[in-house]
Amino acid sequence: MARQRTCSASALALAVALVVGVLASIPIEVESIGVCNGMIGDSQSLPSRADVVQLYRTKGISAMRIYAPDPETLQALGDTGIDLIMDVGNGNLSALASDAGLAASWVQENVLAYPHVSIKYIAAGNEVEGGDTQNIVPAMTNLNAALSKASRPDVKVSTAVKMSVLASSSPPSSGVFKDAYMTEVAQLLKDTSAPLLANVYPYIAKRDTPTIDLSFALFQPSTNQVNDNGNGLTYTNLFDAMVDAMYTAMEQAGASDVPIVVSESGWPSAGDDLATPTNAQAYNQHLIDHVGKGTPKRAGPLETYIFAMFNENRKDGPDTERNFGLFNGPDKTPVYPIRFTN
């Protein structure tokens, strides 16, 4: 009987090993991480829409952001379970703000027409500046009304902002919004239980402020950690400090319960002295590994979207703008090694 038990134990151990081996071969989604799917490129820069969606699935990437409704992408996303942030496009913001009927038509054509797509957020503008900021809240209001009438309260409407909406961000406990319209945005988000979408780029902060320690920006050990006397917290990386400055600003605007979704963050791999494959790989991999923990001010998973899936060869601006991609197109080879799964 003893030998029989030994054989049974061996068989059980083998079965467990086989199951573990099978499970290890299945990508495990990193729930806090999505990737932005920019499309400002030609066929030499970007794969087909269907191939892009398949790459998300293969890599276990559970969320995507697109910067305008794209029928081919929306069709490919059907029944995949990939969550989506869909921007309205800045050029449409004024019309959506002034015409409730147009907002209803937009929802019909781009949300209701795709019932099998997991549309999570609609971004009413991306980094809107100048006079167009007056259109953000009216556009959000019209889109919310259209979604409510269509019985789709699950789709939340927000707007994506950059760090320059803050009058102060250092130390994080000094975070406060610069303009009154952001207090209106914060209150509307509070009323509709929607998050603020924030584009957070330690790369830009380091580029514009050379005295920032590169290691502090790359989630690496640094002597430049920040001890914030205003909130009693210690910051060991720049990303956390920037996000918590935005949280503080939301508190100051009377919207402390509104969560933040990091709708863009990334590091370019070419275009200037900071933009190297080594730095880009270090930042993005550490970001993936970090955001499940949250920030010193707000523990817990922080929903974050890396910018971007592919290098986009038709983007305007400095060379770095065309080199934020994790993958080359159309062959989908990685620009540098990156791991999305645990």
Side-chain angles (χ1 to χ4, degrees):
M1 292 295 293
R3 180 171 179 171
Q4 184 178 356
R5 284 198 300 272
T6 302
C7 292
S8 298
S10 299
L12 178 60
L14 177 60
V16 170
L18 288 171
V19 170
V20 170
V22 169
L23 291 175
S25 68
I26 300 173
I28 302 172
E29 293 179 351
V30 181
E31 293 184 359
S32 298
I33 282 288
V35 180
C36 301
N37 179 19
M39 302 180 192
I40 307 176
D42 56 26
S43 60
Q44 300 304 309
S45 173
L46 302 175
S48 71
R49 306 297 200 248
D51 284 350
V52 170
V53 172
Q54 185 56 46
L55 185 60
Y56 274 71
R57 300 183 72 181
T58 300
K59 296 297 182 181
I61 303 169
S62 60
M64 176 190 292
R65 179 183 179 184
I66 58 176
Y67 291 87
D70 181 75
E72 286 185 58
T73 298
L74 290 167
Q75 289 283 358
L77 285 170
D79 294 317
T80 62
I82 294 173
D83 290 334
L84 183 67
I85 299 177
M86 180 164 59
D87 288 39
V88 301
N90 285 6
N92 296 319
L93 199 60
S94 177
L96 290 169
S98 61
D99 189 341
L102 181 63
S105 296
W106 191 97
V107 167
Q108 176 64 48
E109 294 170 9
N110 300 302
V111 178
L112 304 184
Y114 301 95
H116 301 293
V117 178
S118 179
I119 300 172
K120 193 172 184 179
Y121 311 122
I122 292 171
N126 180 53
E127 300 185 348
V128 179
E129 295 181 311
D132 281 344
T133 58
Q134 67 184 347
N135 294 317
I136 295 173
V137 168
M140 291 173 63
T141 300
N142 285 342
L143 288 166
N144 276 317
L147 289 164
S148 178
K149 188 174 182 180
S151 300
R152 290 298 305 270
D154 56 301
V155 182
K156 300 300 182 182
V157 180
S158 186
T159 190
V161 302
K162 54 184 176 178
M163 293 299 297
S164 61
V165 297
L166 300 182
S168 174
S169 62
S170 182
S173 62
S174 71
V176 64
F177 290 123
K178 182 168 52 180
D179 296 312
Y181 79 88
M182 279 303 303
T183 297
E184 296 177 26
V185 168
Q187 287 300 314
L188 181 55
L189 295 174
K190 178 181 177 181
D191 292 343
T192 56
S193 300
L196 176 67
L197 305 179
N199 298 343
V200 179
Y201 283 97
Y203 160 75
I204 293 175
K206 166 60 180 170
R207 182 197 66 192
D208 295 347
T209 310
T211 55
I212 293 175
D213 181 33
L214 178 61
S215 294
F216 187 64
L218 293 176
F219 295 96
Q220 295 171 338
S222 169
T223 57
N224 277 31
Q225 69 178 24
V226 173
N227 297 308
D228 189 337
N229 294 327
N231 60 21
L233 299 172
T234 297
Y235 292 88
T236 59
N237 65 80
L238 184 54
F239 175 84
D240 282 353
M242 295 171 75
V243 173
D244 276 1
M246 195 70 74
Y247 271 125
T248 303
M250 292 297 285
E251 292 173 356
Q252 294 297 317
S256 58
D257 293 335
V258 172
I260 287 173
V261 170
V262 177
S263 44
E264 286 184 17
S265 191
W267 198 286
S269 61
D272 65 26
D273 291 343
L274 292 171
T276 67
T278 298
N279 287 347
Q281 193 275 340
Y283 178 80
N284 285 322
Q285 190 63 70
H286 285 132
L287 181 68
I288 291 168
D289 296 339
H290 177 78
V291 294
K293 307 168 190 173
T295 70
K297 192 173 182 66
R298 298 287 177 93
L302 174 62
E303 188 176 350
T304 298
Y305 291 72
I306 294 177
F307 187 86
M309 197 68 168
F310 295 96
N311 287 326
E312 300 169 78
N313 65 354
R314 288 191 173 176
K315 288 198 76 173
D316 295 331
D319 195 32
T320 50
E321 285 295 315
R322 292 176 286 281
N323 286 283
F324 272 90
L326 302 173
F327 296 92
N328 298 298
D331 62 4
K332 297 170 286 184
T333 56
V335 176
Y336 42 80
I338 197 77
R339 169 183 47 77
F340 297 98
T341 55
N342 294 321

